[in-house]
Amino acid sequence: MNDKTSASEPVEPEPVAAQPAPEMATPPKPPVNKSTVAIDQIDAIVGGYHGAPFDVLGPHVTQVKGKDTFVIRAFRPLDEKVLVLDIATGKRTEMEMVHPGGFFEAVFSRRKVPFAYRLIVEDGEGHDYELEDPYRFTDWLLTDFDIYLHGEGTFVNSYEKFGAHFRDVDGVRGVTFAVWAPNALRVSVIGPFNAWDDRVSVMQQRNENSGIWEIFLPNLPEGVHYKYSIKSKLMGYQVDKADPYGFYAEMRPTTDSRVWDINKYAWGDSEWMAQRKELQAPDRPINIYEVHLGSWMRVPDTNGFLSYRDLAVRLVEYVKEIGFTHIELLPITEHPFDGSWGYQVTGYYAPTSRFGSPDDFMFFMDHCHQNGIGVILDWVPAHFPRDAHGLGFFDGTHLYEHSDPRQGEHRDWGTKIFNYGRNEVCNFLLSNAVFWCKQYHMDGLRVDAVASLLYLDYSRKAGEWVPNKYGGRENLDAIDFIRRFNELVHEEAPGAITIAEESTSWPMVSRPTYMGGLGFDFKWNMGWMHDMLSYMEKDPIYRRYHQNQVTFSLIYAFHENFILPFSHDEVVHLKRSMVDKMPGDVWQKYANLRALYTYMYGHPGKKLLFMGSEFGQWSEWSEARSLDWHLLQWEDHQKMQRFVRDLSRLYAYEPALYEVDGSWEGFQWIDFADADSSIISFLRRGKDPADVMVFVCNFTPVSRQGYRVGLPAEGFFAETLNSDWELYGGSGVNNNGGVWAELLPWQSCQYSATINVPPLGCVVLKLQR
């Protein structure tokens, strides 16, 4: 640029000498398509991105030179040679490889009608194999009505069609696979049967709107490993996923699903199932032993897991001996991380393979029932983990979870939240609940973390949650889901019970949905548990100032059908074991614990005790090792275990302790005002008003001799249990078998008697008729 030019003025270019025109290159000839199908269709098959392989592969009648002609196409990328075997005639016809990627075709110009056939393949080493062509089987397992119900969210038995199912099609035994992945470009089943090649066993999308993919793979054996290879429509995302409906999962750290026939087990629990509704009614004793199967007991030398079958024999024998009526299992659904205790589920339909096969778990359930023990499963519909093989980002989109992290993530737990506003997601969970109750004869489901379902702002700060359409904090979709869950379980599995682990004051949790409730049968009484542990952990000298912590629960005790829980959550994370929570020296610790348990079994509500708490384990629970069974060589632990056994048997034997748990007719305070002595007294009644038991509890280490207590009737009150009896490790303060009531009004009663109240102990009296 010089002084006479500017940036805005064009500069005239220098003249350029003319150049000869270049010679035009000859364009390459397109490859000759020898097939009867378009080359782009073949490329999609070979490239592994064709979403409708049945439109191309298998038998077809097509137009060749204006005539209907029968053709068979196959994609065999690892085979050198492929032949068609006519099953009826035995004639073999070699297929032509029309694409070097392994696309074969045979044209039968003289035949216009499809015929039954098999393929004979020859690998690179010259070995011949005869096999069925999966693309000749179009007898779909899922009907159009099934697909409609799934989209509507009402396909409650969807586990009967989704996942992997053995069936016979045209006389051929095989497995039908079905999965929901609406945003997938292509879904295929991969496994050792196809060298894990995601191009070989590509599934057919049943229709464009459903997002359901299905295929029948012949001659697969039981136990074979598989996954779904998903190529998404979005972002080029591709991933291998375990089957959401998989019935059997590989042992961690591997993450494959396994084909399994869950319908072949022969059950022997018909008597239990017929009586279950009566045995689990609100007016029956329910005394639950909460168990983590991986750490209840282990193989001593190796610290290895016991099998489901070993656990069935040992655990059931123990539970019967101690007097529990039910076992509640921490989640046994498949989970990759032992430290999650089972609460981060990747296989919702698979009992964990840590302890054996699905058949082995059925044996466990069957053995429990044949011995009169009910089983409750800890069920986790509130969240799921981020593991790559699990439900998260399943088809390249937020399919099962919310995309907005304010709705779709539990940051405290590092997990994802289900999208309860999506019909298909609710269908997955509802079907799962029905599955465990019907397929495995589960007697109840305890729903984990219900509060996190109910509230949009659960464990969130301002700005970290999205209000509902009315501006409130209630999760309306989740509430609808919970109600539907309870209705469905009670409808599909009569006699099965549902239990809410719910820690807030949400009303009517255990009231029917037609009354406006959530529909659960029972609710954990978390308030009672926290108050009582807080009270018992205090030095007895200060308890006089906190009497309200013992009595407050009776203000709301009959608002719900409660279970009183001392669960696994109370003996981990530096909270200390149950016996170690108690104050004082060793003797006082055991005495405090016995008094607490006696009050618990006298208080209205069903009972739950975590394993190890019944014999006074000193160390906190760890999922990585067995309970400290060796402690039972010591007398203190033997006596504690005997006490819990006798207390459990008393509870199961005395109708006054369980028949009227839900109303004031079954409970009456005698006296709760003696805070200076830290003594309370109350009575329990059965349906028969004359069936009366009296509890007197002393929460100080001072024995009260000649302590007068009001009694509801005249007559003899037998001392049926005393937590201070010497056979339980107590000091031996007792009442020589019982006391006679005299006509002396006292406290709230017309009659009374003087009794000896033991230190840190409870006396249980029963009116003799």
Side-chain angles (χ1 to χ4, degrees):
M1 184 179 296
N2 56 39
D3 294 340
K4 296 182 179 179
T5 63
S6 69
S8 61
E9 295 177 332
V11 178
E12 185 177 342
E14 296 291 332
V16 179
Q19 300 291 326
E23 295 182 6
M24 297 296 293
T26 304
K29 294 182 179 180
V32 177
N33 183 10
K34 301 179 181 179
S35 173
T36 59
V37 68
I39 189 65
D40 61 329
Q41 298 287 307
I42 298 175
D43 288 341
I45 293 290
V46 174
Y49 56 87
H50 201 298
F54 280 80
D55 295 350
V56 178
L57 300 175
H60 293 272
V61 175
T62 187
Q63 287 280 313
V64 177
K65 297 181 179 179
K67 296 182 179 180
D68 287 343
T69 304
F70 182 57
V71 300
I72 296 174
R73 307 185 192 105
F75 177 54
R76 302 292 306 176
L78 301 180
D79 298 317
E80 299 289 330
K81 185 177 180 181
V82 183
L83 299 91
V84 175
L85 172 66
D86 187 330
I87 295 175
T89 66
K91 182 180 178 180
R92 300 184 178 198
T93 303
E94 184 172 349
M95 304 183 78
E96 181 181 4
M97 183 185 289
V98 298
H99 189 287
F103 191 97
F104 294 83
E105 183 178 63
V107 179
F108 299 86
S109 56
R110 297 183 179 181
R111 305 188 70 161
K112 300 180 180 180
V113 179
F115 58 87
Y117 67 91
R118 296 192 186 97
L119 299 178
I120 298 175
V121 300
E122 182 180 301
D123 62 20
E125 298 178 357
H127 299 123
D128 290 346
Y129 303 93
E130 184 176 320
L131 49 84
E132 299 285 352
D133 180 7
Y135 293 101
R136 80 175 180 91
F137 298 97
T138 56
D139 182 12
W140 304 113
L141 179 60
L142 279 151
T143 66
D144 290 341
F145 188 55
D146 293 335
I147 293 171
Y148 171 79
L149 292 178
H150 180 257
E152 191 180 53
T154 57
F155 191 15
V156 296
N157 295 310
S158 60
Y159 61 87
E160 296 177 350
K161 300 290 184 74
F162 282 89
H165 294 270
F166 282 101
R167 60 194 289 249
D168 294 316
V169 179
D170 295 340
V172 177
R173 184 72 168 168
V175 178
T176 290
F177 296 87
V179 66
W180 177 58
N183 298 294
L185 177 66
R186 183 268 297 149
V187 181
S188 59
V189 184
I190 56 175
F193 45 86
N194 57 22
W196 300 92
D197 190 330
D198 59 14
R199 303 171 298 161
V200 175
S201 303
V202 179
M203 307 174 79
Q204 182 79 0
Q205 189 169 12
R206 290 297 309 278
N207 64 55
E208 202 169 316
N209 296 323
S210 72
I212 294 172
W213 302 74
E214 184 177 343
I215 193 172
F216 174 78
L217 297 183
N219 299 323
L220 291 185
E222 187 172 55
V224 69
H225 295 218
Y226 73 97
K227 277 187 172 180
Y228 294 119
S229 175
I230 299 175
K231 185 188 289 286
S232 178
K233 297 175 183 177
L234 307 175
M235 301 181 295
Y237 178 82
Q238 185 166 340
V239 68
D240 296 341
K241 291 286 190 179
D243 190 346
Y245 282 85
F247 297 140
Y248 193 11
E250 178 64 352
M251 176 75 164
R252 52 107 176 95
T254 57
T255 57
D256 304 341
S257 299
R258 299 180 68 182
V259 173
W260 201 261
D261 182 1
I262 60 171
N263 296 310
K264 64 181 185 296
Y265 182 84
W267 289 87
D269 64 347
S270 57
E271 183 177 349
W272 166 269
M273 296 298 286
Q275 299 176 353
R276 182 175 70 178
K277 186 173 183 179
E278 177 185 350
L279 293 172
Q280 299 192 146
D283 61 353
R284 296 301 298 267
I286 295 180
N287 189 14
I288 303 167
Y289 188 52
E290 190 186 29
V291 174
H292 178 262
L293 287 182
S295 58
W296 180 75
M297 184 179 290
R298 289 200 174 188
V299 179
D301 296 333
T302 65
N303 197 39
F305 295 126
L306 296 177
S307 71
Y308 285 124
R309 292 176 184 266
D310 289 336
L311 286 163
V313 175
R314 299 188 190 192
L315 179 57
V316 168
E317 180 181 3
Y318 181 77
V319 165
K320 289 178 66 177
E321 169 64 22
I322 301 301
F324 293 103
T325 63
H326 287 71
I327 296 168
E328 181 175 311
L329 299 175
L330 268 67
I332 52 84
T333 39
E334 194 57 80
H335 52 282
F337 178 44
D338 290 8
S340 75
W341 310 336
Y343 288 96
Q344 295 191 8
V345 180
T346 53
Y348 273 82
Y349 286 81
T352 178
S353 58
R354 289 167 174 79
F355 317 116
S357 70
D359 290 357
D360 295 330
F361 185 62
M362 290 180 184
F363 176 86
F364 175 90
M365 293 293 301
D366 202 4
H367 190 73
C368 289
H369 288 168
Q370 290 182 37
N371 283 272
I373 302 298
V375 185
I376 299 165
L377 175 64
D378 209 334
W379 190 56
V380 192
H383 61 119
F384 60 91
R386 299 169 179 267
D387 296 68
H389 68 285
L391 298 176
F393 213 60
F394 190 78
D395 61 357
T397 64
H398 298 282
L399 187 63
Y400 286 89
E401 70 273 26
H402 278 282
S403 58
D404 188 337
R406 295 175 299 171
Q407 296 174 285
E409 291 186 12
H410 275 304
R411 294 183 178 177
D412 290 351
W413 303 336
T415 54
K416 298 288 188 180
I417 301 172
F418 285 102
N419 184 350
Y420 305 102
R422 191 162 197 169
N423 289 343
E424 297 90 344
V425 173
C426 288
N427 196 106
F428 172 80
L429 291 170
L430 294 171
S431 180
N432 185 246
V434 172
F435 168 81
W436 286 106
C437 293
K438 294 177 71 171
Q439 198 70 40
Y440 283 93
H441 296 197
M442 201 63 67
D443 302 301
L445 298 174
R446 176 266 195 187
V447 181
D448 179 60
V450 172
S452 74
L453 288 163
L454 294 175
Y455 297 101
L456 294 165
D457 63 345
Y458 181 85
S459 192
R460 296 177 188 274
K461 299 176 183 177
E464 294 180 350
W465 58 282
V466 180
N468 63 35
K469 62 184 179 180
Y470 302 114
R473 57 196 285 255
E474 298 80 12
N475 190 335
L476 303 180
D477 291 332
I479 293 166
D480 288 342
F481 163 76
I482 289 170
R483 286 173 170 155
R484 180 63 181 137
F485 153 77
N486 281 303
E487 292 169 351
L488 200 58
V489 168
H490 293 125
E491 177 184 340
E492 294 286 326
I497 58 176
T498 60
I499 303 167
E501 186 221 7
E502 205 284 311
S503 55
T504 74
S505 57
W506 187 281
M508 302 179 70
V509 171
S510 58
R511 295 295 181 260
T513 57
Y514 61 78
M515 293 177 61
L518 293 182
F520 288 97
D521 293 286
F522 298 99
K523 172 185 173 176
W524 275 20
N525 195 335
M526 310 289 280
W528 173 88
M529 179 268 295
H530 284 296
D531 285 348
M532 283 308 302
L533 289 180
S534 174
Y535 178 82
M536 294 302 296
E537 288 172 3
K538 292 179 173 65
D539 189 299
I541 198 171
Y542 300 115
R543 288 176 180 168
R544 61 187 297 182
Y545 305 110
H546 301 277
Q547 185 96 333
N548 63 300
Q549 288 187 303
V550 180
T551 60
F552 179 69
S553 61
L554 270 301
I555 292 177
Y556 61 85
F558 310 117
H559 294 176
E560 303 278 1
N561 299 325
F562 281 119
I563 292 175
L564 309 181
F566 288 134
S567 73
H568 63 279
D569 281 325
E570 309 317 314
V571 293
V572 291
H573 302 324
L574 303 180
K575 295 179 183 177
R576 298 180 293 172
S577 68
M578 289 296 293
V579 69
D580 200 27
K581 292 177 191 288
M582 302 296 112
D585 58 25
V586 172
W587 186 92
Q588 288 180 336
K589 284 179 179 289
Y590 280 111
N592 271 299
L593 190 59
R594 292 193 302 269
L596 173 60
Y597 285 169
T598 307
Y599 177 59
M600 171 189 183
Y601 277 73
H603 191 288
K606 310 309 179 185
K607 323 301 176 187
L608 181 143
L609 200 61
F610 184 60
M611 64 182 197
S613 301
E614 78 279 8
F615 62 81
Q617 172 157 316
W618 282 101
S619 60
E620 285 190 345
W621 169 61
S622 169
E623 82 285 344
R625 59 180 176 82
S626 170
L627 294 180
D628 295 334
W629 294 107
H630 62 278
L631 294 176
L632 286 171
Q633 66 184 304
W634 306 107
E635 191 174 46
D636 286 348
H637 297 279
Q638 293 172 10
K639 290 181 175 181
M640 187 72 214
Q641 186 187 55
R642 180 173 181 174
F643 170 74
V644 173
R645 182 197 67 183
D646 290 354
L647 185 61
S648 295
R649 292 179 177 181
L650 179 70
Y651 169 70
Y653 183 75
E654 296 292 349
L657 300 182
Y658 61 77
E659 278 189 339
V660 191
D661 269 336
S663 74
W664 283 105
E665 283 78 7
F667 178 91
Q668 178 183 325
W669 282 115
I670 295 174
D671 180 54
F672 57 79
D674 191 2
D676 288 341
S677 301
S678 296
I679 291 178
I680 60 168
S681 54
F682 59 90
L683 63 84
R684 295 295 310 277
R685 284 195 178 93
K687 292 180 178 180
D688 180 351
D691 191 359
V692 175
M693 300 195 75
V694 173
F695 284 72
V696 183
C697 303
N698 177 15
F699 294 111
T700 69
V702 179
S703 176
R704 307 290 179 177
Q705 303 291 320
Y707 186 87
R708 183 164 291 277
V709 175
L711 295 173
E714 62 178 335
F716 183 72
F717 284 79
E719 189 174 54
T720 58
L721 186 134
N722 183 328
S723 68
D724 194 52
W725 282 342
E726 290 181 0
L727 78 163
Y728 302 141
S731 64
V733 175
N734 65 82
N735 292 280
N736 297 316
V739 296
W740 285 94
E742 55 184 312
L743 185 58
L744 177 60
W746 195 258
Q747 295 163 338
S748 60
C749 301
Q750 185 177 359
Y751 302 89
S752 64
T754 58
I755 68 172
N756 299 324
V757 186
L760 296 174
C762 298
V763 174
V764 183
L765 305 171
K766 181 180 180 182
L767 176 62
Q768 303 297 296
R769 291 178 291 176

